[in-house]
Amino acid sequence: MNRRVFLIIGILAILIVGAGIYAYNTSTQPETTRLIVSTTTSLEDTGLLEEIETAFEDKYPGVDVSVISGGTGIALQYGERGDADVLLTHDKNREEEFIESGFGTNRTEIAYNYFWIVGPENGPAGIRGLNATEAFSKIMEEGQNNPDEVKFASRGDDSGTHAREKQIWERTGVSYEEVSGSGAWYIESGRGMGETLLLASEQNAYTLTDSGTFLAYTNEGRIRIVPLVTTGDELLNVYAAMPVNPERHPNVNYEGAQNFVNFLVSPDGQEIIQNFGREEYGQPLFIPISQGLPS
């Protein structure tokens, strides 16, 4: 044989061996399955979910986590339609309704922090030292009397934060419908928490926020409003995970969803939550449920 024939045979041999190695490698790789997590904006905007996602995929290398970020209302809609496998939300009443209606199999609390009422440092409504209900009443009173100086920015997006805002307004003895239509002092952003904080800062307005997102945006120097009311049972903010019911939606990745929930409350998952933000913000942004809810 001449040199050219030897060269062709050599190339074919390399290709055959390479194809065999490739086939072997691909056949031994675990099949990748997708896990769709529909979450509140706070868990995404703070960066906590990204850290959890990385750790979960390291433990389950055959799973590819995809995150859909929106308010709790949007997350629940995804779950009801079967467009997500597991939900991370923070509105207990609607979560329990979701389970009772057969859309989810169980509700597992994973962490908590607090809602804060934040606003201009000079405090034109004078709400320091008040509880949340008293503060809302004072903001509305001062806003109606002086809408140029006192404003309130609402998410207005059916999120968990918006739901809590409505609950606090109801406790003041005024319906949410009355509040939302009571004048120019009340602004509805229709946006997520981060964007609503930016709007409140631009307008020198008050707003209700989860503490984690507020600390993240403050650390980035993006807002100039400050925490004014930060304690009280009515501001407790509990996050829960719910797998979507496979009996309602057979297409969901229920095994992956339950593994994800189990990971969140495992020692590894709870440690990630406990340490997240401690170095960067000087305090954790969320408190793991393993430490127990405040009494």
Side-chain angles (χ1 to χ4, degrees):
M1 296 183 187
N2 58 34
R3 184 175 180 183
R4 183 177 180 184
V5 173
F6 277 119
L7 180 61
I8 292 172
I9 292 173
I11 292 172
L12 288 173
I14 292 171
L15 290 174
I16 291 169
V17 171
I21 293 172
Y22 175 79
Y24 173 79
N25 285 340
T26 55
S27 65
T28 57
Q29 290 296 319
E31 183 181 352
T32 300
T33 59
R34 190 181 183 202
L35 179 68
I36 302 174
V37 180
S38 189
T39 181
T40 68
T41 57
S42 54
L43 296 177
E44 178 75 354
D45 288 350
T46 57
L48 172 62
L49 194 55
E50 182 179 355
E51 203 161 303
I52 289 173
E53 177 185 343
T54 299
F56 180 77
E57 288 179 341
D58 286 344
K59 184 170 183 177
Y60 295 91
V63 179
D64 177 25
V65 177
S66 298
V67 175
I68 304 170
S69 176
T72 287
I74 294 173
L76 292 169
Q77 289 176 23
Y78 273 101
E80 289 171 1
R81 296 197 303 261
D83 292 334
D85 302 309
V86 61
L87 312 183
L88 296 177
T89 52
H90 61 146
D91 185 349
K92 185 176 181 179
N93 291 339
R94 283 190 289 178
E95 290 159 5
E96 291 177 341
E97 289 175 9
F98 185 82
I99 300 298
E100 290 168 5
S101 299
F103 291 112
T105 57
N106 57 78
R107 174 184 178 272
T108 303
E109 295 178 347
I110 62 167
Y112 72 93
N113 57 17
Y114 282 88
F115 290 109
W116 287 352
I117 302 173
V118 300
E121 191 166 10
N122 62 356
I127 65 171
R128 288 184 187 274
L130 303 180
N131 64 36
T133 301
E134 293 168 341
F136 269 37
S137 293
K138 192 74 184 299
I139 291 169
M140 182 175 181
E141 177 186 349
E142 296 297 326
Q144 289 177 317
N145 291 335
N146 191 2
D148 291 333
E149 292 294 326
V150 178
K151 295 179 174 64
F152 185 92
S154 168
R155 283 183 61 167
D157 64 349
D158 199 34
S159 62
T161 305
H162 189 215
R164 182 61 61 90
E165 180 206 326
K166 291 190 218 180
Q167 290 174 13
I168 298 173
W169 286 124
E170 295 287 343
R171 290 178 181 176
T172 68
V174 181
S175 73
Y176 174 71
E177 288 70 24
E178 291 177 277
V179 174
S180 59
S182 64
W185 69 276
Y186 188 84
I187 307 165
E188 286 192 319
S189 74
R191 306 173 191 171
M193 193 69 259
E195 292 178 288
T196 301
L197 281 169
L198 293 173
L199 175 65
S201 185
E202 291 168 4
Q203 296 288 324
N204 212 31
Y206 295 92
T207 193
L208 183 71
T209 177
D210 69 279
S211 56
T213 306
F214 180 85
L215 289 170
Y217 271 65
T218 301
N219 188 64
E220 295 171 4
R222 302 178 69 183
I223 54 177
R224 53 186 175 81
I225 46 181
V226 300
L228 299 169
V229 179
T230 61
T231 59
D233 293 344
E234 55 196 333
L235 294 178
L236 180 64
N237 181 27
V238 180
Y239 293 86
M242 300 184 294
V244 174
N245 191 347
E247 293 183 3
R248 184 65 69 94
H249 296 290
N251 61 301
V252 299
N253 180 2
Y254 183 70
E255 180 182 358
Q258 193 58 61
N259 285 339
F260 189 75
V261 174
N262 292 340
F263 178 77
L264 289 169
V265 293
S266 71
D268 288 344
Q270 292 287 282
E271 184 177 3
I272 291 172
I273 294 171
Q274 180 177 355
N275 292 327
F276 182 76
R278 190 183 298 274
E279 181 175 343
E280 187 172 0
Y281 306 106
Q283 64 183 90
L285 300 193
F286 304 89
I287 301 170
I289 204 65
S290 56
Q291 293 188 8
L293 291 173
S295 55

